[in-house]
Amino acid sequence: MKHYLVTGGAGFIGANYVKYILKKHGDLKLIILDDLTYAGNLGTIKDDLKDPRVEFIKGNIVDPQIVNSIFEKHPIDFTVNFAAESHVDRSIENPQLFLQTNILGTQNLLETAKKFWTVGRDEKGYPIYREGVKYLQVSTDEVYGSLGETGFFTEKTPLDPRSPYSASKTSADLIVAAYSETYKLPVNITRCSNNYGPYHFPEKLIPLIIKNILEGKKLPVYGDGLNVRDWLYVEDHCKAIDLALLRGKAGEIYNVGGHNEMKNIDIVKLIIAEIRRLMAENPEYRKALKPSAPSVSDLSWINNELITFVKDRLGHDQRYAIDPSKITGELGWRPETKFADGIVKTIRWYLENQDWVDDVISGGYQKYYEQMYGNR
Ligand code: NAD
Ligand code: DAU
């Protein structure tokens, strides 16, 4: 039986991964370490926590004592690190926290794994590790910087991060690579494009647009709305991580993305059209509208006039696009959900799960929202 340490398991992708591996693998023990920052929500994994295979620990990945105590108590085989400060806009406001969590947290996990997994030394002095162990770093395509109108990121694209968030994720990747080279620690890095799907925190584009429509609010589009992101349904990302962890060759990096490039403005228009269509087809969905929405019976206000172009993000990367041919060729991974289907599934999920949204929008979130958008 494999023992997993999954960090950030109460966040968007981490929680989806927890659900995915619990369903996929019968025989495992899963330790979830999460500090429950504004982005972590125990409600997201409340049913999973009832599973006897799961143990939850609230704690910071930067804290050596907590991580040590987990490895002392459990024979961890796999560490999968999702825990991070993940929002680019917040990194522009408060870079230091990103450096602490994303860089020092990663190094702390690596160091502890190295210590507990070492069973000897070879003749050159390199550590020899317990059979079957692996550390997987969940990274991002943002480490490659920004593309022009053509081209794709491959694993060989030079690193060129441009925001404090992406610089911190790149630094973390370099520390992972250093542990791989210097100590021969078995590691993989996965670099994924923009995820979307259930449990996405409503500070990110897609869930924020859905939330604002339901509240009858304006829909803030940065700059001219022509920036391009390459969208991947979150479950497809979870499958890629599962494959890379179980079958990926130690030391390898895998890009993960599904050739689903979309301009921001087109996504926003699509969400407007789909929400209106779904509510027209099924009046039950109108229950998701908030009291501040202009009307429940007449849906004509759900139109492109809700869009407002606001001040651009500082250093806003123009375009991301992943070439996933390595993970497809070596591990047989392919995205299964087309954007046209995934976005409808996602919108339906939000319409049907407003309790979850209400739950995660705490007082702290309101303050953050005012600070970011109040004066625009
Ligand atoms: P998220 O912000 O939704 O969740 C992050 C989780 O980490 C939260 O549960 C939070 O409580 C926890 N956390 C934060 N700081 C912590 C700390 N110091 N110690 C312990 N737990 C801490 O993020 P997400 O969107 O689920 O992203 C997960 C990972 O995937 C991140 O590493 C991110 O860089 C990477 N990633 C995200 C995307 C995306 O589109 N969302 C794409 C590629 C890569
Ligand atoms: O590419 C992978 C990355 O995708 C991950 O590493 C990050 O953790 C994740 O947050 C995401 O970063 P982005 O900055 O691309 O995602 P976000 O949802 O914040 O923004 C998507 C695009 O939409 C981006 O071009 C900025 C724009 N945007 C965003 C918000 C929140 C708007 O136009 N208006 C908004 O209100």
Side-chain angles (χ1 to χ4, degrees):
M1 181 175 65
K2 291 292 186 186
H3 286 66
Y4 286 65
L5 169 59
V6 171
T7 68
F12 165 45
I13 308 174
N16 277 284
Y17 176 75
V18 162
K19 292 173 195 302
Y20 178 75
I21 58 168
L22 285 174
K23 215 184 312 164
K24 170 114 194 271
H25 305 295
D27 198 21
L28 58 74
K29 173 85 189 165
L30 173 55
I31 316 299
I32 302 171
L33 172 64
D34 195 301
D35 210 18
L36 300 179
T37 67
Y38 79 93
N41 178 20
L42 269 188
T44 307
I45 49 170
K46 64 176 187 305
D47 292 338
D48 310 292
L49 297 181
K50 291 180 197 147
D51 189 315
R53 295 172 294 168
V54 180
E55 183 175 332
F56 178 82
I57 295 160
K58 182 186 176 319
N60 193 328
I61 57 165
V62 179
D63 181 346
Q65 272 179 359
I66 286 193
V67 181
N68 244 281
S69 68
I70 293 172
F71 276 80
E72 265 164 9
K73 199 165 152 216
H74 303 277
I76 300 295
D77 300 291
F78 297 141
T79 300
V80 184
N81 182 25
F82 292 93
E85 287 295 332
S86 69
H87 193 34
V88 175
D89 291 330
R90 288 183 189 253
S91 83
I92 296 166
E93 300 298 308
N94 178 13
Q96 198 174 67
L97 177 61
F98 283 68
L99 273 54
Q100 280 161 357
T101 295
N102 299 0
I103 306 174
L104 296 180
T106 298
Q107 190 272 334
N108 185 38
L109 292 169
L110 288 162
E111 184 59 27
T112 313
K114 173 168 85 67
K115 180 169 123 192
F116 281 86
W117 289 346
T118 298
V119 291
R121 297 256 161 203
D122 71 11
E123 68 285 357
K124 289 188 176 151
Y126 288 112
I128 298 168
Y129 297 105
R130 177 153 60 79
E131 192 68 28
V133 296
K134 170 93 71 79
Y135 176 97
L136 188 141
Q137 177 74 1
V138 181
S139 185
T140 167
D141 60 358
E142 298 200 12
V143 301
Y144 299 120
S146 180
L147 290 165
E149 281 187 9
T150 57
F152 296 94
F153 297 133
T154 74
E155 290 78 2
K156 294 200 166 77
T157 302
L159 300 175
D160 183 25
R162 297 147 55 91
S163 72
Y165 163 72
S166 54
S168 70
K169 292 294 289 185
T170 309
S171 307
D173 283 10
L174 294 176
I175 298 289
V176 175
Y179 271 73
S180 170
E181 282 301 320
T182 307
Y183 308 113
K184 306 292 176 217
L185 192 73
V187 303
N188 285 126
I189 297 173
T190 54
R191 293 184 177 145
C192 190
S193 58
N194 286 62
N195 285 217
Y196 68 103
Y199 307 110
H200 204 179
F201 193 81
E203 66 186 348
K204 308 281 167 57
L205 180 70
I206 289 179
L208 184 132
I209 294 301
I210 298 172
K211 178 180 159 299
N212 279 18
I213 294 175
L214 298 180
E215 291 174 354
K217 275 195 189 150
K218 287 287 186 190
L219 311 179
V221 173
Y222 297 167
D224 57 11
L226 299 181
N227 303 68
V228 171
R229 297 292 181 266
D230 183 3
W231 294 91
L232 185 72
Y233 194 64
V234 62
E235 200 179 35
D236 280 328
H237 185 190
C238 296
K239 287 178 186 167
I241 292 171
D242 185 54
L243 268 178
L245 182 70
L246 299 180
R247 304 234 318 269
K249 200 171 135 226
E252 293 296 316
I253 295 169
Y254 296 100
N255 282 358
V256 185
H259 287 302
N260 266 310
E261 288 182 53
M262 296 278 294
K263 293 190 185 86
N264 293 338
I265 187 69
D266 293 338
I267 298 239
V268 174
K269 287 181 179 166
L270 183 64
I271 296 173
I272 294 170
E274 283 301 325
I275 289 191
R276 188 162 155 177
R277 183 183 68 79
L278 287 166
M279 286 188 176
E281 266 175 30
N282 181 355
E284 275 294 296
Y285 283 140
R286 299 183 196 194
K287 288 187 182 152
L289 289 168
K290 300 295 180 200
S292 54
S295 167
V296 174
S297 52
D298 174 6
L299 300 177
S300 59
W301 60 272
I302 307 181
N303 65 46
N304 291 348
E305 281 172 31
L306 289 173
I307 296 171
T308 174
F309 291 93
V310 299
K311 192 160 121 331
D312 208 356
R313 175 183 279 176
L314 300 181
H316 196 172
D317 286 345
Q318 188 58 36
R319 175 173 165 257
Y320 305 144
I322 284 273
D323 174 354
S325 49
K326 179 174 172 183
I327 190 166
T328 302
E330 288 186 15
L331 304 181
W333 177 85
R334 271 189 186 78
E336 283 161 36
T337 304
K338 288 199 201 87
F339 188 77
D341 301 329
I343 193 71
V344 175
K345 237 170 38 174
T346 303
I347 294 170
R348 279 185 200 275
W349 186 88
Y350 277 93
L351 296 179
E352 288 163 9
N353 288 278
Q354 279 300 297
D355 288 354
W356 180 86
V357 177
D358 296 342
D359 218 41
V360 300
I361 299 171
S362 62
Y365 176 87
Q366 295 295 1
K367 206 168 133 217
Y368 161 78
Y369 191 90
E370 275 308 306
Q371 194 186 324
M372 288 301 297
Y373 298 97
N375 55 356
R376 285 175 177 168

